[in-house]
Coordinates of all heavy atoms in Angstrom, one line a residue:
M1 N 0.8 -1.2 0.0 CA 0.0 0.0 0.0 C 0.9 1.3 0.0 O 0.3 2.3 -0.2 CB -0.9 0.0 1.2 CG -2.0 -1.1 1.1 SD -3.0 -1.3 2.6 CE -3.9 0.2 2.7
G2 N 2.1 1.1 0.2 CA 3.0 2.3 0.2 C 3.0 3.1 1.5 O 3.5 4.2 1.5
L3 N 2.4 2.6 2.5 CA 2.4 3.4 3.8 C 3.7 3.3 4.5 O 4.4 2.2 4.5 CB 1.3 2.8 4.7 CG -0.1 2.8 4.2 CD1 -1.0 2.1 5.2 CD2 -0.6 4.2 4.0
K4 N 4.2 4.4 5.0 CA 5.4 4.4 5.8 C 5.2 4.7 7.3 O 6.0 4.5 8.1 CB 6.4 5.5 5.2 CG 6.9 5.0 3.8 CD 7.7 3.8 3.9 CE 8.1 3.2 2.6 NZ 8.7 1.9 2.7
D5 N 4.0 5.3 7.6 CA 3.7 5.6 9.0 C 2.4 4.9 9.3 O 1.5 4.8 8.5 CB 3.4 7.1 9.2 CG 4.7 8.0 8.9 OD1 5.8 7.5 9.3 OD2 4.5 9.1 8.4
L6 N 2.4 4.2 10.4 CA 1.3 3.4 10.8 C 0.9 3.6 12.3 O 1.8 3.6 13.1 CB 1.6 1.9 10.5 CG 0.6 0.9 10.7 CD1 -0.6 1.1 9.8 CD2 1.2 -0.5 10.6
Q7 N -0.4 3.6 12.5 CA -0.9 3.7 13.9 C -1.9 2.6 14.1 O -2.9 2.5 13.3 CB -1.5 5.0 14.2 CG -2.0 5.2 15.6 CD -2.6 6.6 15.8 OE1 -3.3 7.1 15.0 NE2 -2.4 7.1 17.0
I8 N -1.6 1.7 15.0 CA -2.5 0.6 15.3 C -3.1 0.8 16.7 O -2.4 1.0 17.6 CB -1.7 -0.8 15.3 CG1 -1.1 -1.0 13.9 CG2 -2.5 -1.9 15.7 CD1 -0.2 -2.1 13.7
M9 N -4.4 0.7 16.7 CA -5.1 0.9 18.0 C -5.7 -0.4 18.4 O -6.2 -1.2 17.6 CB -6.2 1.9 17.8 CG -5.7 3.3 17.5 SD -7.0 4.4 17.5 CE -6.3 5.7 16.5
G10 N -5.7 -0.7 19.7 CA -6.3 -1.9 20.2 C -6.7 -1.7 21.7 O -6.3 -0.8 22.3
D11 N -7.6 -2.7 22.1 CA -8.1 -2.6 23.4 C -7.5 -3.5 24.4 O -7.9 -3.7 25.5 CB -9.6 -2.7 23.4 CG -10.1 -4.1 22.9 OD1 -9.2 -5.0 22.7 OD2 -11.3 -4.2 22.7
S12 N -6.4 -4.1 24.0 CA -5.7 -5.1 24.9 C -4.3 -4.5 25.2 O -3.4 -4.5 24.3 CB -5.5 -6.4 24.3 OG -4.7 -7.2 25.1
K13 N -4.1 -4.0 26.4 CA -2.8 -3.4 26.8 C -1.7 -4.5 26.7 O -0.6 -4.2 26.3 CB -2.8 -2.8 28.2 CG -3.6 -1.6 28.3 CD -3.5 -1.0 29.7 CE -4.4 0.2 29.8 NZ -4.4 0.8 31.2
T14 N -2.0 -5.7 27.0 CA -1.0 -6.8 27.0 C -0.5 -7.0 25.6 O 0.7 -7.1 25.3 CB -1.6 -8.1 27.6 OG1 -2.1 -7.8 28.9 CG2 -0.6 -9.2 27.6
I15 N -1.4 -7.1 24.6 CA -1.1 -7.4 23.2 C -0.3 -6.2 22.7 O 0.7 -6.4 22.0 CB -2.3 -7.6 22.4 CG1 -3.1 -8.9 22.8 CG2 -2.0 -7.7 20.9 CD1 -2.3 -10.2 22.7
I16 N -0.7 -5.0 23.0 CA 0.1 -3.8 22.5 C 1.5 -3.8 23.1 O 2.5 -3.6 22.3 CB -0.7 -2.5 22.9 CG1 -1.9 -2.4 22.1 CG2 0.2 -1.3 22.7 CD1 -2.9 -1.3 22.6
K17 N 1.7 -4.1 24.3 CA 3.0 -4.2 24.9 C 3.9 -5.3 24.2 O 5.1 -5.1 24.0 CB 2.9 -4.4 26.4 CG 2.5 -3.2 27.2 CD 2.4 -3.5 28.7 CE 1.8 -2.3 29.4 NZ 1.7 -2.6 30.8
K18 N 3.2 -6.4 24.0 CA 4.0 -7.5 23.3 C 4.4 -7.2 21.9 O 5.5 -7.5 21.4 CB 3.1 -8.8 23.3 CG 3.0 -9.4 24.7 CD 2.2 -10.7 24.7 CE 2.1 -11.3 26.1 NZ 1.3 -12.5 26.1
C19 N 3.5 -6.4 21.2 CA 3.8 -6.0 19.8 C 5.0 -5.0 19.8 O 5.8 -4.9 18.9 CB 2.6 -5.4 19.1 SG 1.4 -6.6 18.7
Q20 N 5.0 -4.1 20.8 CA 6.1 -3.1 20.9 C 7.4 -3.8 21.3 O 8.5 -3.2 20.9 CB 5.7 -2.1 22.0 CG 4.6 -1.2 21.6 CD 4.1 -0.3 22.8 OE1 4.1 -0.7 23.9 NE2 3.7 0.9 22.4
S21 N 7.4 -4.9 22.0 CA 8.6 -5.6 22.4 C 9.2 -6.3 21.3 O 8.6 -6.6 20.2 CB 8.2 -6.5 23.5 OG 9.2 -7.4 23.8
S22 N 10.5 -6.7 21.5 CA 11.1 -7.6 20.5 C 11.3 -9.0 21.0 O 11.8 -9.9 20.3 CB 12.5 -7.0 20.1 OG 13.3 -6.9 21.3
E23 N 10.8 -9.3 22.2 CA 10.9 -10.6 22.8 C 9.8 -11.5 22.2 O 8.8 -11.1 21.8 CB 10.6 -10.5 24.3 CG 11.6 -9.7 25.1 CD 11.3 -9.6 26.6 OE1 10.6 -10.5 27.1 OE2 11.9 -8.7 27.2
Q24 N 10.2 -12.8 22.1 CA 9.3 -13.8 21.5 C 8.2 -14.1 22.5 O 8.4 -14.2 23.7 CB 10.1 -15.1 21.2 CG 9.3 -16.1 20.5 CD 10.1 -17.4 20.2 OE1 11.2 -17.5 20.6 NE2 9.5 -18.3 19.4
D25 N 7.0 -14.2 22.0 CA 5.8 -14.5 22.8 C 5.4 -15.9 22.7 O 5.4 -16.5 21.6 CB 4.7 -13.6 22.4 CG 3.5 -13.8 23.3 OD1 3.5 -13.5 24.5 OD2 2.5 -14.3 22.7
R26 N 5.1 -16.6 23.8 CA 4.8 -18.0 23.7 C 3.3 -18.3 24.0 O 2.9 -19.4 24.3 CB 5.6 -18.8 24.8 CG 7.1 -18.6 24.5 CD 7.9 -19.8 25.1 NE 9.3 -19.6 25.1 CZ 10.1 -19.7 24.0 NH1 9.5 -20.0 22.8 NH2 11.4 -19.5 24.1
S27 N 2.5 -17.2 23.9 CA 1.1 -17.4 24.1 C 0.4 -17.9 22.9 O 1.1 -18.1 21.8 CB 0.4 -16.0 24.5 OG 0.4 -15.2 23.4
V28 N -0.9 -18.2 23.0 CA -1.7 -18.6 21.8 C -1.6 -17.7 20.6 O -1.5 -18.1 19.5 CB -3.2 -18.8 22.2 CG1 -4.0 -19.2 21.1 CG2 -3.2 -19.9 23.3
R29 N -1.5 -16.4 20.9 CA -1.4 -15.4 19.9 C 0.0 -15.1 19.5 O 0.3 -14.1 18.7 CB -2.1 -14.1 20.4 CG -3.5 -14.3 20.7 CD -4.1 -13.0 21.4 NE -5.4 -13.3 21.9 CZ -5.8 -13.8 23.0 NH1 -4.9 -14.2 23.9 NH2 -7.1 -14.0 23.3
G30 N 0.9 -15.9 19.9 CA 2.4 -15.7 19.7 C 2.7 -15.5 18.2 O 3.6 -14.7 17.8
A31 N 2.1 -16.4 17.3 CA 2.4 -16.3 15.9 C 2.0 -15.0 15.3 O 2.8 -14.4 14.5 CB 1.8 -17.5 15.2
I32 N 0.9 -14.5 15.7 CA 0.4 -13.2 15.1 C 1.3 -12.1 15.6 O 1.7 -11.2 14.9 CB -1.1 -13.0 15.5 CG1 -1.9 -14.0 14.9 CG2 -1.5 -11.6 15.1 CD1 -3.4 -14.1 15.4
I33 N 1.7 -12.1 16.9 CA 2.5 -11.1 17.5 C 3.9 -11.2 16.8 O 4.5 -10.1 16.4 CB 2.7 -11.3 19.0 CG1 1.3 -10.9 19.6 CG2 3.8 -10.4 19.6 CD1 1.2 -11.3 21.1
K34 N 4.4 -12.3 16.5 CA 5.7 -12.5 15.8 C 5.6 -11.8 14.4 O 6.5 -11.1 14.0 CB 6.1 -13.9 15.7 CG 7.4 -14.2 15.0 CD 7.7 -15.6 14.9 CE 9.0 -15.8 14.1 NZ 9.2 -17.2 13.7
D35 N 4.5 -12.1 13.7 CA 4.3 -11.5 12.4 C 4.3 -10.0 12.5 O 5.0 -9.3 11.6 CB 3.0 -11.9 11.7 CG 3.0 -13.4 11.3 OD1 4.1 -14.0 11.2 OD2 1.9 -13.9 11.0
I36 N 3.7 -9.4 13.5 CA 3.6 -8.0 13.6 C 5.0 -7.4 14.0 O 5.4 -6.4 13.4 CB 2.6 -7.6 14.8 CG1 1.2 -7.9 14.3 CG2 2.8 -6.1 15.2 CD1 0.1 -7.8 15.4
Q37 N 5.7 -8.1 14.8 CA 7.1 -7.7 15.2 C 8.0 -7.7 14.0 O 8.8 -6.8 13.8 CB 7.7 -8.6 16.3 CG 7.0 -8.4 17.6 CD 7.4 -9.4 18.6 OE1 7.8 -10.5 18.3 NE2 7.3 -9.1 19.9
E38 N 7.8 -8.7 13.1 CA 8.7 -8.8 11.9 C 8.4 -7.6 10.9 O 9.3 -7.2 10.2 CB 8.5 -10.1 11.2 CG 9.2 -11.2 12.0 CD 8.9 -12.6 11.4 OE1 8.2 -12.7 10.4 OE2 9.5 -13.6 12.0
I39 N 7.1 -7.2 10.7 CA 6.8 -6.2 9.7 C 7.1 -4.8 10.2 O 7.0 -3.8 9.5 CB 5.4 -6.3 9.2 CG1 4.4 -6.1 10.3 CG2 5.2 -7.7 8.5 CD1 3.0 -5.8 9.7
K40 N 7.4 -4.6 11.5 CA 7.6 -3.3 12.1 C 8.7 -2.6 11.3 O 8.7 -1.4 11.2 CB 8.0 -3.4 13.6 CG 6.8 -3.7 14.5 CD 7.1 -3.5 15.9 CE 8.2 -4.2 16.5 NZ 8.3 -4.1 18.0
T41 N 9.7 -3.3 10.9 CA 10.9 -2.7 10.2 C 10.5 -2.2 8.8 O 11.3 -1.4 8.3 CB 12.0 -3.7 10.0 OG1 11.5 -4.9 9.3 CG2 12.5 -4.2 11.4
N42 N 9.3 -2.5 8.3 CA 8.9 -2.0 7.0 C 8.4 -0.6 7.1 O 8.1 0.0 6.0 CB 7.8 -2.9 6.4 CG 8.3 -4.3 6.1 OD1 9.5 -4.6 6.0 ND2 7.4 -5.2 6.0
F43 N 8.2 0.0 8.2 CA 7.7 1.3 8.4 C 8.7 2.3 9.0 O 9.5 1.9 9.8 CB 6.4 1.2 9.3 CG 5.3 0.4 8.7 CD1 5.2 -0.9 9.1 CD2 4.4 0.9 7.8 CE1 4.2 -1.7 8.5 CE2 3.4 0.2 7.3 CZ 3.3 -1.2 7.6
N44 N 8.6 3.5 8.6 CA 9.4 4.6 9.2 C 9.0 4.8 10.6 O 9.8 5.1 11.5 CB 9.3 5.9 8.4 CG 10.0 5.7 7.0 OD1 10.8 4.9 6.8 ND2 9.6 6.6 6.1
N45 N 7.7 4.9 10.8 CA 7.1 5.2 12.1 C 5.9 4.3 12.4 O 5.0 4.2 11.6 CB 6.7 6.7 12.2 CG 6.2 7.1 13.5 OD1 6.6 6.5 14.5 ND2 5.4 8.1 13.5
I46 N 5.9 3.6 13.5 CA 4.8 2.7 13.8 C 4.5 3.0 15.3 O 5.3 3.0 16.1 CB 5.1 1.2 13.5 CG1 3.8 0.4 13.7 CG2 6.2 0.7 14.3 CD1 3.9 -1.0 13.1
C47 N 3.2 3.1 15.6 CA 2.7 3.4 16.9 C 1.6 2.5 17.3 O 0.6 2.3 16.6 CB 2.2 4.9 17.0 SG 1.5 5.3 18.5
F48 N 1.8 1.8 18.4 CA 0.7 0.9 19.0 C 0.1 1.7 20.1 O 0.7 2.1 21.1 CB 1.3 -0.4 19.5 CG 2.0 -1.2 18.4 CD1 3.3 -1.1 18.2 CD2 1.2 -2.1 17.7 CE1 4.0 -1.8 17.2 CE2 1.8 -2.9 16.7 CZ 3.2 -2.7 16.5
C49 N -1.2 1.9 20.0 CA -1.9 2.8 20.9 C -3.1 2.0 21.6 O -3.8 1.3 20.9 CB -2.6 4.0 20.2 SG -1.4 5.0 19.3
Y50 N -3.2 2.2 22.9 CA -4.3 1.6 23.6 C -5.5 2.5 23.5 O -5.4 3.7 23.7 CB -3.9 1.4 25.1 CG -5.1 1.0 26.0 CD1 -5.6 -0.3 25.9 CD2 -5.7 1.9 26.8 CE1 -6.7 -0.7 26.7 CE2 -6.8 1.6 27.6 CZ -7.3 0.3 27.5 OH -8.4 -0.1 28.3
I51 N -6.7 1.9 23.2 CA -7.9 2.6 23.2 C -9.0 1.7 23.9 O -9.1 0.5 23.6 CB -8.4 2.9 21.8 CG1 -9.7 3.7 21.8 CG2 -8.5 1.7 20.9 CD1 -10.0 4.3 20.4
P52 N -9.6 2.3 24.9 CA -10.6 1.4 25.7 C -11.7 0.9 24.8 O -12.1 1.6 23.8 CB -11.2 2.4 26.7 CG -10.2 3.5 26.8 CD -9.5 3.6 25.5
R53 N -12.2 -0.3 25.0 CA -13.2 -0.9 24.2 C -14.5 0.0 24.1 O -15.1 0.1 23.0 CB -13.6 -2.2 24.8 CG -14.6 -3.0 23.9 CD -14.7 -4.4 24.4 NE -13.5 -5.1 24.1 CZ -13.2 -6.3 24.4 NH1 -14.1 -7.1 25.0 NH2 -12.1 -6.9 24.2
T54 N -14.8 0.7 25.1 CA -16.0 1.6 25.1 C -15.8 2.7 24.1 O -16.8 3.3 23.6 CB -16.3 2.2 26.4 OG1 -15.1 2.9 26.9 CG2 -16.7 1.1 27.4
D55 N -14.6 3.1 23.7 CA -14.3 4.2 22.8 C -14.4 3.8 21.3 O -14.4 4.6 20.5 CB -12.9 4.8 23.1 CG -12.9 5.6 24.3 OD1 -13.9 5.7 25.0 OD2 -11.8 6.1 24.7
H56 N -14.4 2.5 21.1 CA -14.5 2.0 19.7 C -15.6 1.1 19.4 O -15.6 0.3 18.5 CB -13.1 1.4 19.2 CG -12.8 0.1 19.9 ND1 -13.3 -1.1 19.5 CD2 -12.0 -0.1 21.0 CE1 -12.8 -2.0 20.2 NE2 -12.0 -1.5 21.2
I57 N -16.7 1.2 20.1 CA -17.9 0.4 19.9 C -18.4 0.5 18.5 O -18.9 -0.5 17.9 CB -19.0 0.6 21.0 CG1 -20.0 -0.5 20.9 CG2 -19.6 2.0 20.9 CD1 -19.6 -1.8 21.3
F58 N -18.4 1.7 17.9 CA -19.0 1.8 16.6 C -18.1 1.2 15.5 O -18.6 0.6 14.5 CB -19.3 3.3 16.3 CG -20.3 3.8 17.2 CD1 -20.0 4.8 18.1 CD2 -21.6 3.4 17.2 CE1 -20.9 5.3 19.0 CE2 -22.6 3.8 18.1 CZ -22.2 4.8 19.0
A59 N -16.8 1.2 15.7 CA -15.9 0.5 14.8 C -16.2 -1.0 14.8 O -16.2 -1.7 13.8 CB -14.5 0.8 15.1
H60 N -16.4 -1.5 16.0 CA -16.8 -2.9 16.2 C -18.1 -3.2 15.5 O -18.2 -4.3 14.9 CB -16.9 -3.2 17.7 CG -17.2 -4.6 18.1 ND1 -16.2 -5.6 17.9 CD2 -18.3 -5.2 18.6 CE1 -16.8 -6.7 18.3 NE2 -18.0 -6.5 18.7
L61 N -19.1 -2.4 15.6 CA -20.3 -2.6 15.0 C -20.2 -2.7 13.5 O -20.8 -3.5 12.8 CB -21.4 -1.6 15.4 CG -21.9 -1.7 16.8 CD1 -22.7 -0.4 17.2 CD2 -22.6 -2.9 17.1
V62 N -19.4 -1.8 12.9 CA -19.1 -1.7 11.5 C -18.5 -3.0 11.0 O -18.9 -3.6 10.0 CB -18.3 -0.5 11.1 CG1 -17.8 -0.6 9.6 CG2 -19.0 0.8 11.3
A63 N -17.5 -3.5 11.8 CA -16.8 -4.7 11.4 C -17.7 -5.9 11.5 O -17.7 -6.8 10.6 CB -15.6 -4.9 12.3
I64 N -18.6 -6.0 12.5 CA -19.5 -7.1 12.6 C -20.5 -7.1 11.4 O -20.8 -8.2 10.9 CB -20.3 -7.0 14.0 CG1 -19.4 -7.4 15.1 CG2 -21.6 -7.9 13.9 CD1 -20.1 -7.1 16.5
E65 N -21.0 -6.0 11.0 CA -21.9 -5.9 9.9 C -21.2 -6.4 8.6 O -21.8 -7.1 7.8 CB -22.4 -4.5 9.7 CG -23.5 -4.1 10.7 CD -24.7 -5.0 10.7 OE1 -25.3 -5.2 9.6 OE2 -25.1 -5.5 11.8
A66 N -20.0 -6.0 8.5 CA -19.2 -6.4 7.3 C -19.0 -7.9 7.3 O -19.2 -8.6 6.2 CB -17.8 -5.7 7.2
L67 N -18.7 -8.5 8.4 CA -18.6 -9.9 8.5 C -19.9 -10.7 8.2 O -19.9 -11.7 7.5 CB -18.1 -10.4 9.9 CG -16.6 -10.0 10.2 CD1 -16.3 -10.3 11.7 CD2 -15.7 -10.8 9.3
K68 N -21.0 -10.1 8.6 CA -22.3 -10.7 8.3 C -22.6 -10.7 6.8 O -23.1 -11.7 6.3 CB -23.4 -10.0 9.1 CG -23.5 -10.2 10.5 CD -24.6 -9.4 11.1 CE -24.7 -9.5 12.6 NZ -25.7 -8.6 13.2
K69 N -22.2 -9.7 6.2 CA -22.4 -9.5 4.7 C -21.3 -10.1 3.9 O -21.4 -10.2 2.7 CB -22.6 -8.0 4.4 CG -23.8 -7.4 5.0 CD -23.8 -5.9 4.6 CE -25.0 -5.2 5.3 NZ -25.0 -3.8 5.0
G70 N -20.2 -10.6 4.5 CA -19.1 -11.2 3.8 C -18.3 -10.1 3.0 O -17.7 -10.5 2.0
E71 N -18.3 -8.9 3.4 CA -17.6 -7.8 2.7 C -16.2 -7.8 3.1 O -15.8 -8.1 4.3 CB -18.2 -6.5 3.0 CG -19.7 -6.3 2.6 CD -20.3 -5.0 3.0 OE1 -19.8 -4.4 3.9 OE2 -21.4 -4.7 2.5
E72 N -15.3 -7.5 2.2 CA -13.9 -7.4 2.5 C -13.5 -6.0 2.8 O -12.6 -5.7 3.6 CB -13.1 -7.8 1.3 CG -13.2 -9.3 1.0 CD -12.3 -9.8 -0.2 OE1 -11.3 -9.1 -0.5 OE2 -12.6 -10.8 -0.8
H73 N -14.1 -5.0 2.2 CA -13.8 -3.6 2.4 C -15.0 -2.9 3.0 O -15.9 -2.4 2.3 CB -13.4 -2.9 1.1 CG -12.3 -3.6 0.4 ND1 -11.0 -3.5 0.9 CD2 -12.2 -4.4 -0.7 CE1 -10.2 -4.2 0.1 NE2 -10.9 -4.7 -0.8
Y74 N -15.1 -2.9 4.3 CA -16.3 -2.4 4.9 C -16.4 -0.9 5.2 O -17.3 -0.4 5.7 CB -16.6 -3.2 6.2 CG -15.5 -3.2 7.2 CD1 -15.3 -2.2 8.1 CD2 -14.6 -4.3 7.3 CE1 -14.3 -2.2 9.1 CE2 -13.6 -4.3 8.2 CZ -13.4 -3.3 9.1 OH -12.4 -3.3 10.0
L75 N -15.3 -0.2 5.0 CA -15.3 1.2 5.2 C -15.4 2.0 3.9 O -15.4 3.2 3.9 CB -14.0 1.7 6.0 CG -14.0 1.2 7.4 CD1 -12.7 1.6 8.0 CD2 -15.1 1.6 8.2
A76 N -15.6 1.3 2.8 CA -15.8 1.9 1.5 C -17.3 2.3 1.4 O -18.2 1.4 1.5 CB -15.4 1.0 0.4
G77 N -17.6 3.5 1.1 CA -19.0 3.9 0.9 C -19.6 4.4 2.3 O -18.9 4.9 3.1
A78 N -20.9 4.1 2.4 CA -21.7 4.7 3.6 C -21.6 3.7 4.8 O -21.2 2.5 4.6 CB -23.1 4.8 3.2
I79 N -21.9 4.3 5.9 CA -21.9 3.5 7.1 C -23.2 2.7 7.1 O -24.3 3.2 6.7 CB -21.9 4.4 8.4 CG1 -20.6 5.2 8.4 CG2 -22.2 3.6 9.6 CD1 -20.6 6.2 9.5
P80 N -23.2 1.4 7.5 CA -24.4 0.5 7.4 C -25.5 1.2 8.3 O -25.2 1.8 9.3 CB -23.9 -0.8 8.0 CG -22.5 -0.8 7.8 CD -22.0 0.6 7.9
N81 N -26.8 1.0 7.9 CA -27.9 1.6 8.6 C -28.0 1.1 10.0 O -28.3 1.9 10.9 CB -29.2 1.2 7.9 CG -29.4 2.1 6.6 OD1 -28.8 3.2 6.5 ND2 -30.1 1.5 5.7
T82 N -27.6 -0.2 10.3 CA -27.7 -0.7 11.7 C -26.7 0.0 12.6 O -27.0 0.3 13.7 CB -27.4 -2.2 11.7 OG1 -26.2 -2.5 11.0 CG2 -28.5 -3.0 11.0
V83 N -25.6 0.4 12.1 CA -24.6 1.1 12.8 C -25.0 2.6 13.0 O -24.9 3.1 14.1 CB -23.2 1.1 12.2 CG1 -22.2 1.9 12.9 CG2 -22.7 -0.4 12.1
R84 N -25.6 3.1 12.0 CA -26.1 4.5 12.1 C -27.2 4.6 13.2 O -27.2 5.5 14.0 CB -26.6 5.0 10.7 CG -27.0 6.5 10.8 CD -27.5 7.0 9.4 NE -26.3 7.1 8.5 CZ -26.2 6.3 7.4 NH1 -27.1 5.5 7.1 NH2 -25.2 6.5 6.7
Q85 N -28.1 3.6 13.1 CA -29.2 3.6 14.1 C -28.6 3.4 15.5 O -29.1 4.1 16.5 CB -30.2 2.5 13.8 CG -30.9 2.7 12.5 CD -31.6 1.5 12.0 OE1 -31.5 0.4 12.6 NE2 -32.4 1.7 10.9
A86 N -27.6 2.6 15.7 CA -27.0 2.4 17.0 C -26.4 3.7 17.5 O -26.5 4.1 18.7 CB -26.0 1.3 17.0
A87 N -25.7 4.4 16.6 CA -25.1 5.7 17.0 C -26.1 6.7 17.4 O -25.9 7.5 18.3 CB -24.2 6.2 15.8
E88 N -27.3 6.7 16.7 CA -28.3 7.7 17.0 C -28.9 7.4 18.4 O -29.4 8.3 19.0 CB -29.4 7.7 15.9 CG -28.8 8.3 14.6 CD -29.8 8.1 13.4 OE1 -30.8 7.4 13.6 OE2 -29.5 8.6 12.3
R89 N -29.0 6.1 18.8 CA -29.6 5.8 20.1 C -28.6 6.2 21.1 O -28.9 6.6 22.2 CB -29.8 4.3 20.2 CG -31.0 3.8 19.5 CD -31.2 2.3 19.7 NE -30.5 1.7 18.5 CZ -30.1 0.5 18.5 NH1 -30.3 -0.3 19.4 NH2 -29.5 0.0 17.4

């Protein structure tokens, strides 16, 4: 994609700390963390940021709707009506 700066947000402080580290992780998610650690060198600037789950509920709803519909690119176009209705509530 040609990106050189990357910001990754997540709601697990433990996972974020492990991704920032260069130590090998032996947890169930270890393989994914290893992949993330390996690609860090491809970017000029990479930031792992903690965001509480309550702060990204709408992003979660958008992703769930995309999975239900089998969409690969769920942020292209308009926000799904179900997510819009949840935001209005």
Side-chain angles (χ1 to χ4, degrees):
M1 293 173 64
L3 301 173
K4 292 296 174 189
D5 296 324
L6 183 63
Q7 184 178 36
I8 299 174
M9 295 182 202
D11 60 11
S12 172
K13 288 182 183 180
T14 304
I15 299 296
I16 290 170
K17 287 179 184 178
K18 288 180 180 184
C19 290
Q20 290 171 327
S21 167
S22 58
E23 295 178 21
Q24 185 176 8
D25 182 66
R26 301 203 189 285
S27 71
V28 174
R29 296 169 187 90
I32 296 169
I33 291 169
K34 181 181 177 192
D35 289 345
I36 291 169
Q37 290 171 335
E38 288 176 356
I39 65 166
K40 287 193 302 188
T41 59
N42 297 340
F43 298 93
N44 292 338
N45 184 25
I46 187 166
C47 176
F48 297 94
C49 305
Y50 170 74
I51 181 169
R53 186 169 291 181
T54 55
D55 289 357
H56 67 83
I57 189 70
F58 297 113
H60 181 69
L61 291 172
V62 170
I64 287 174
E65 286 300 311
L67 288 172
K68 286 180 185 176
K69 295 178 181 178
E71 296 174 346
E72 291 181 24
H73 303 287
Y74 55 85
L75 293 177
I79 296 172
N81 286 334
T82 53
V83 174
R84 185 177 292 114
Q85 291 166 356
E88 289 170 356
R89 281 183 269 162

